[in-house]
Amino acid sequence: MSHLYDEIQQQPEVIARLIREEEHSVAAVAAELRLRPIRYILIAARGTSDNAATYGKYVFASILRLPVALAAPSLYTIYDSPPCTGSNALVIGISQSGESPDIVSVVEEARHQGATTLAITNELGSPLSHAAEFALPCHAGAELSVAASKTYTAQLTSLAMLAAHWSGNEERQAQVRALPQAVRAALELAEPISHAVSRYRFMEACFVLGRGYNYATAFEIALKMKELCYLLIEAYSSADFLHGPIAVIERGFPVILVAPSGRVYPDMLAMAESLCQRGAELITISDEAGILELATTPLRLPVSVPEWLSPVVTILPGQLLAYHLTRTKGYDPDHPRGLRKVTLTR
Ligand code: AGP
């Protein structure tokens, strides 16, 4: 079919392998982190990896109650004014390739300043991996399509595993181990999505909304739709959307909602009701019947997972939507125009 389709399908096995082969090392890194005076976390990443970083921001902040910031790499590489991180910081670089010089610079500088540094990468021999004190491999195998899929869910799983072990919460650790099954079940949506996409072939603009842990999912779906389908699509938190952008909505305007069960669900349901009143066309990813009933295209997740882990599952219908829409539009899912697998930015 295509590398992208194969790589989407490989995700249950990639996540299972990652947990099987890396949980030990993650536990060892977590034990070391507990001994250090870590007061905050800084994460550096680009593209899809940056969306994983956004997930990391919610996971570490909610589970460990640590402030988490996303790094501004230009401060390191262009303005020559790197912030003083010091020894109380954990600085994490997330990168599939481990190659982008700006991300490597953030980690190198932080290490030089005495911070604890960690790389999460699919390439253990990469510059990022060498720059950091600790490195956690994603075990995703070669990712050949330009668009990242399996490395994204592997990055999310690594972050979740690290938070679960760092907090010492065994229930959360067990919840992570149950992920491959839920991810496998989500792949059942491949067929209904392949039929649903023809309706959206000529769609020109779209919003995608998520909140909390799934704020990252909204951005990752938007990135997939942009790079594969060349679509004008904007991601918002459902809260921010109310502060102005909702005014764009008129009859028939398509909105993708990422609305799994959990604390954010009542807000997402209220958003869906409000969008319906304005005549929006909803494409809804959820395991909750109530919100799915309001959708023109309901994408029902067959298995519910705890909300903090739901981004590992909710992204799959997003990836499949982007893949099938790309096919329907007649574009090449493995070679988006003008893009390369590895983008080096300084
Ligand atoms: C992903 O679909 C994109 N092609 C791209 O944004 C990619 O995630 C980005 O270039 C980051 O790459 P890295 O993870 O290798 O650093």
Side-chain angles (χ1 to χ4, degrees):
M1 266 201 155
S2 74
H3 292 308
L4 179 60
Y5 192 78
D6 289 347
E7 287 161 2
I8 291 172
Q9 295 290 330
Q10 286 165 20
Q11 290 175 106
E13 184 43 43
V14 166
I15 293 167
R17 182 167 62 228
L18 171 63
I19 296 167
R20 194 170 62 238
E21 308 220 342
E22 213 52 38
E23 189 171 8
H24 243 68
S25 317
V26 171
V29 171
E32 183 61 36
L33 294 177
R34 278 202 295 274
L35 298 175
R36 300 195 183 187
I38 297 193
R39 297 281 171 269
Y40 68 98
I41 299 174
L42 186 67
I43 313 181
R46 291 282 181 204
T48 285
S49 302
D50 198 33
N51 296 330
T54 298
Y55 172 69
K57 179 173 172 174
Y58 283 86
V59 163
F60 291 124
S62 64
I63 296 177
L64 297 152
R65 310 297 285 269
L66 290 171
V68 185
L70 303 188
S74 60
L75 295 174
Y76 297 71
T77 54
I78 295 179
Y79 294 104
D80 200 19
S81 312
C84 300
T85 22
S87 57
N88 289 335
L90 168 64
V91 177
I92 306 176
I94 306 176
S95 171
Q96 182 281 131
S97 62
E99 284 191 35
S100 197
D102 47 0
I103 303 311
V104 175
S105 294
V106 173
V107 171
E108 273 174 350
E109 174 63 25
R111 194 169 183 185
H112 175 69
Q113 290 184 16
T116 300
T117 51
L118 167 69
I120 294 177
T121 177
N122 203 32
E123 297 294 339
L124 259 196
S126 65
L128 180 66
S129 176
H130 291 306
E133 181 182 358
F134 301 107
L136 294 175
C138 290
H139 292 277
E143 191 174 61
L144 301 175
S145 71
V146 167
S149 57
K150 59 180 179 173
T151 54
Y152 176 66
T153 45
Q155 290 165 347
L156 299 186
T157 304
S158 295
L159 291 162
M161 241 191 325
L162 182 61
H165 279 276
W166 191 351
S167 67
N169 185 321
E170 290 181 10
E171 189 185 348
R172 286 191 193 273
Q173 292 162 21
Q175 289 169 346
V176 173
R177 283 181 214 116
L179 270 174
Q181 193 194 344
V183 171
R184 184 165 288 114
L187 288 172
E188 288 171 20
L189 284 166
E191 213 211 320
I193 289 173
S194 73
H195 298 304
V197 287
S198 58
R199 181 176 174 88
Y200 302 103
R201 182 168 177 192
F202 300 107
M203 168 168 77
E204 285 177 354
C206 181
F207 286 115
V208 53
L209 309 182
R211 197 171 178 194
Y213 294 109
N214 280 290
Y215 186 51
T217 314
F219 277 82
E220 179 56 9
I221 292 175
L223 176 55
K224 292 288 93 90
M225 292 288 213
K226 281 174 193 155
E227 69 178 336
L228 291 166
C229 313
Y230 316 136
L231 186 66
L232 277 174
I233 174 167
E234 280 210 73
Y236 281 97
S237 98
S238 52
D240 257 336
F241 197 63
L242 294 171
H243 286 261
I246 194 169
V248 173
I249 299 299
E250 56 187 8
R251 184 148 299 283
F253 199 101
V255 181
I256 303 172
L257 294 177
V258 186
S261 49
R263 296 261 192 117
V264 163
Y265 177 71
D267 272 15
M268 293 303 295
L269 180 59
M271 171 58 75
E273 285 163 351
S274 168
L275 289 169
C276 278
Q277 278 164 17
R278 291 166 189 251
E281 156 123 8
L282 301 183
I283 304 165
T284 305
I285 299 167
S286 185
D287 52 328
E288 289 275 2
I291 199 163
L292 289 169
E293 275 168 21
L294 301 175
T296 311
T297 303
L299 302 177
R300 192 184 70 79
L301 297 165
V303 171
S304 301
V305 297
E307 186 182 1
W308 75 286
L309 292 173
S310 63
V312 185
V313 178
T314 52
I315 189 57
L316 269 83
Q319 294 168 342
L320 290 164
L321 204 54
Y323 170 77
H324 284 293
L325 193 56
T326 305
R327 281 285 197 215
T328 299
K329 283 166 156 290
Y331 299 137
D332 179 347
D334 287 332
H335 303 100
R337 60 190 182 207
L339 295 180
R340 292 187 177 164
K341 182 61 184 164
V342 179
T343 305
L344 303 178
T345 43
R346 75 164 188 107

